[in-house]
Amino acid sequence: MSMLKVDQLSVHYGVIQAVKDVTFEVNEGEVVSLIGANGAGKTSILRTISGLVRPSSGSISFLGNEIQKVPAQKIVASGLSHVPEGRHVFSGLTVLENLEMGAFLKKDRDENQANLKKVFDRFPRLEERKNQDAATLSGGEQQMLAMGRALMSTPKLLLLDEPSMGLAPIFIQEIFDIIQDIQKQGTTVLLIEQNANMALSISNRGYVLETGSIVLSGTGQELLTSDDVRKAYLGG
Ligand code: ATP
């Protein structure tokens, strides 16, 4: 079943068209990657899906409802969580307080406690550091915190914007392992990455974006072995 349907989506910033008639879908239970070079429009697509940017045309439907005019907060409440590029953890707040912010729309204390336990089980390092200021975490730990915070709202669909950016190789592997684990636990994932190799190797399907348009799509394996993708994104 299709969980997210993006149809003929265009996004403009003034006269600049960042996204051009993009159509794709994400089915329940999948990890789907959008890959492409700097400026291809990946972040604009994610920000438009989560209601932070309004499209100039096209529609987005999530769980059967059109959301392109719905306020961002309501989109989160309907089960869609976004981990932005650059993580944006709240400095001056502890790790635990950051996680609690992720649950601010959830009034059910038992559910919040259960989610917190799940997050700490998945990211033991965050539990060890729960009383530490989030700003003092390493880059990889901040990425884990941003993902943990998004999981606190029990999302059906998780949007991840360049989770591996700026991380040491050992952390990159860990982050991709965690994404697979999140999928196994039943959360659908839409991932955007410049690290095409890693992203496609854990994806059920992927789409390749070039200057705002989708130029190729296929299963993760098909794209990994496509000559065009290898030349452009995987180093030959
Ligand atoms: P990167 O991998 O470098 O983050 P991206 O594929 O995520 O790139 P976007 O950030 O979506 O690409 O940017 C697509 C285009 O839109 C770029 O040309 C960018 O300069 C432009 N753009 C993005 N945000 C804005 C903005 N707020 N105002 C004006 N132009 C913007």
Side-chain angles (χ1 to χ4, degrees):
M1 189 198 114
S2 166
M3 180 175 271
L4 178 78
K5 264 195 169 148
V6 172
D7 194 29
Q8 294 286 309
L9 186 77
S10 289
V11 178
H12 285 78
Y13 301 104
V15 294
I16 295 173
Q17 183 165 10
V19 178
K20 298 170 190 160
D21 293 330
V22 161
T23 296
F24 69 94
E25 63 186 340
V26 180
N27 298 313
E28 192 170 347
E30 286 186 311
V31 172
V32 171
S33 285
L34 298 180
I35 62 169
N38 286 116
K42 305 180 297 296
T43 297
S44 298
I45 292 174
L46 280 209
R47 289 176 60 81
T48 310
I49 293 169
S50 55
L52 301 170
V53 169
R54 292 296 171 207
S56 35
S57 58
S59 66
I60 302 167
S61 99
F62 176 55
L63 299 171
N65 301 311
E66 289 209 355
I67 58 167
Q68 69 274 9
K69 293 191 176 130
V70 174
Q73 190 167 331
K74 281 207 173 140
I75 295 176
V76 178
S78 72
L80 191 154
S81 233
H82 181 169
V83 182
E85 189 172 4
R87 356 267 192 227
H88 300 290
V89 301
F90 302 112
S91 58
L93 296 186
T94 65
V95 168
L96 181 60
E97 287 164 343
N98 265 270
L99 291 172
E100 286 167 350
M101 295 289 283
F104 78 105
L105 291 170
K106 296 265 172 201
K107 301 286 177 254
D108 184 333
R109 283 195 55 181
D110 290 345
E111 187 183 344
N112 289 346
Q113 280 306 317
N115 279 338
L116 186 63
K117 182 171 182 316
K118 271 195 228 161
V119 169
F120 282 155
D121 287 347
R122 187 173 284 139
F123 305 102
R125 221 175 305 203
L126 295 182
E127 184 164 27
E128 288 160 23
R129 291 160 173 73
K130 65 181 177 189
N131 296 318
Q132 192 171 318
D133 187 323
T136 63
L137 297 178
S138 75
E141 290 161 356
Q142 287 191 19
Q143 184 60 49
M144 290 176 191
L145 177 55
M147 288 166 75
R149 188 177 58 194
L151 291 170
M152 288 294 291
S153 66
T154 342
K156 296 187 178 75
L157 175 64
L158 187 64
L159 309 182
L160 297 174
D161 192 340
E162 304 253 7
S164 77
M165 192 170 63
L167 300 186
I170 185 167
F171 264 127
I172 294 179
Q173 185 59 54
E174 198 169 342
I175 291 293
F176 281 99
D177 289 347
I178 290 164
I179 297 169
Q180 284 189 293
D181 182 41
I182 289 171
Q183 177 190 28
K184 279 198 201 112
Q185 309 269 328
T187 304
T188 305
V189 178
L190 175 60
L191 170 66
I192 70 178
E193 262 296 337
Q194 286 196 42
N195 192 335
N197 219 337
M198 292 291 276
L200 292 174
S201 66
I202 64 155
S203 293
N204 300 94
R205 292 183 308 107
Y207 296 88
V208 179
L209 270 174
E210 255 174 46
T211 53
S213 303
I214 290 175
V215 292
L216 259 182
S217 64
T219 65
Q221 204 52 39
E222 282 164 357
L223 293 177
L224 265 178
T225 51
S226 139
D227 283 346
D228 290 344
V229 174
R230 295 207 71 78
K231 275 190 209 122
Y233 303 103
L234 303 175

